[in-house]
Amino acid sequence: MIFKDPHHIFIYLLGDIAFAPFEVLIISMIIHHFLDKMDKVHRFEKLNMVIGVFFSEVGIKLLEYVSDADPDIDNYRKQLIIDSEWTDKDFDKLVRSMNKMHYNVDTEKINFDHLRTLLVSKREFLVRLLENPTMLEHEEFTELLRSVFHLTEELDCRGDVSCLPNTDTKHLTGDIKRVYALLAKEWFTYMRYNKKNYPYLFSLAMRTNPFDTESTPIVS
């Protein structure tokens, strides 16, 4: 009535109404995509916080203990020393070299009693991690937790571990090597994440590298 053109106004209005559901759908999909992305980022941050706690509580000590029993560690120790100048290419190169490692363990260098004491003292902590639903989103770390917990159970259900037969020692060595391989790979993945997102966490982890015989937390 105002613009004296109801015919065209009605046509455009009908077109806008017809496409309104599509516009709402597209906008909803975009908003959902961004919300889902933000949620994944937050879950990933929480997951890496849990992984960090794991390494602080038991992972670093276990990795240091097991790697010291690796008779071949000196052949690739230099490759495992990370510094602040590392880039994604350096980490990619490290991953490729780690896939070629054998992760050997000399059983004569393993004190099963000490190892059992370390793991059993952390069993309740490991159980709580396994119960954390966030772990389900990280298959590699979940597999590491299962392997560590299995090794803990294997050692704990034995009595005197100082005089085990060779067959049983060989079995336990296999469990230790499995933990060793998963633990080393997961630690470097965690280091890569910290290098990108939390430089101060990376700095401490770099100075306490379990593969570095000269590592020290003291900044010099």
Side-chain angles (χ1 to χ4, degrees):
M1 293 176 63
I2 297 176
F3 296 99
K4 310 298 183 180
D5 192 4
H7 175 70
H8 286 92
I9 291 176
F10 177 76
I11 291 176
Y12 283 113
L13 178 62
L14 183 63
D16 288 340
I17 294 175
F19 283 98
F22 296 100
E23 294 175 356
V24 172
L25 177 62
I26 293 173
I27 293 174
S28 299
M29 290 176 63
I30 293 173
I31 294 175
H32 177 75
H33 171 74
F34 281 107
L35 291 176
D36 186 56
K37 187 175 181 179
M38 290 175 61
D39 186 51
K40 287 182 178 179
V41 170
H42 291 153
R43 292 202 306 269
F44 191 66
E45 289 181 352
K46 290 180 180 179
L47 174 61
N48 278 278
M49 286 178 62
V50 175
I51 293 175
V53 173
F54 165 78
F55 280 110
S56 297
E57 287 291 319
V58 64
I60 294 296
K61 295 178 182 177
L62 182 58
L63 185 55
E64 186 177 27
Y65 187 83
V66 176
S67 63
D68 285 343
D70 185 349
D72 302 322
I73 188 66
D74 289 332
N75 296 333
Y76 40 74
R77 191 185 296 277
K78 290 183 179 180
Q79 303 175 38
L80 306 177
I81 307 302
I82 299 174
D83 62 47
S84 58
E85 302 300 321
W86 272 42
T87 63
D88 284 340
K89 290 183 179 180
D90 294 313
F91 278 103
D92 290 337
K93 182 179 178 180
L94 175 62
V95 170
R96 289 194 297 269
S97 64
M98 291 186 71
N99 290 331
K100 300 177 182 178
M101 291 170 56
H102 298 294
Y103 302 99
N104 291 324
V105 175
D106 185 354
T107 53
E108 294 184 359
K109 295 182 179 180
I110 294 289
N111 186 318
F112 289 110
D113 190 46
H114 288 174
L115 183 59
R116 175 172 62 182
T117 300
L118 169 64
L119 293 176
V120 171
S121 67
K122 301 296 183 180
R123 176 160 49 190
E124 187 175 339
F125 168 74
L126 293 172
V127 171
R128 290 201 301 270
L129 288 184
L130 285 171
E131 293 174 345
N132 191 326
T134 309
M135 294 297 98
L136 298 176
E137 300 181 27
H138 196 317
E139 294 181 5
E140 292 84 359
F141 187 68
T142 301
E143 182 61 26
L144 169 60
L145 286 179
R146 288 197 188 100
S147 299
V148 174
F149 192 76
H150 173 71
L151 178 59
T152 305
E153 291 298 290
E154 286 277 9
L155 292 170
D156 190 38
C157 68
R158 286 164 172 78
D160 185 2
V161 293
S162 62
C163 55
L164 298 174
N166 290 335
T167 52
D168 197 41
T169 300
K170 184 178 180 180
H171 175 78
L172 289 174
T173 301
D175 291 332
I176 294 173
K177 289 171 66 175
R178 183 189 304 111
V179 169
Y180 182 21
L182 293 170
L183 190 60
K185 292 176 182 178
E186 196 59 42
W187 186 72
F188 283 108
T189 299
Y190 176 64
M191 288 286 285
R192 184 175 193 166
Y193 172 80
N194 282 342
K195 176 70 168 59
K196 285 184 176 181
N197 300 278
Y198 299 99
Y200 62 96
L201 294 179
F202 174 76
S203 175
L204 177 60
M206 181 179 60
R207 285 180 276 118
T208 56
N209 188 328
F211 294 103
D212 188 356
T213 56
E214 300 179 357
S215 64
T216 174
I218 298 175
V219 179
S220 57

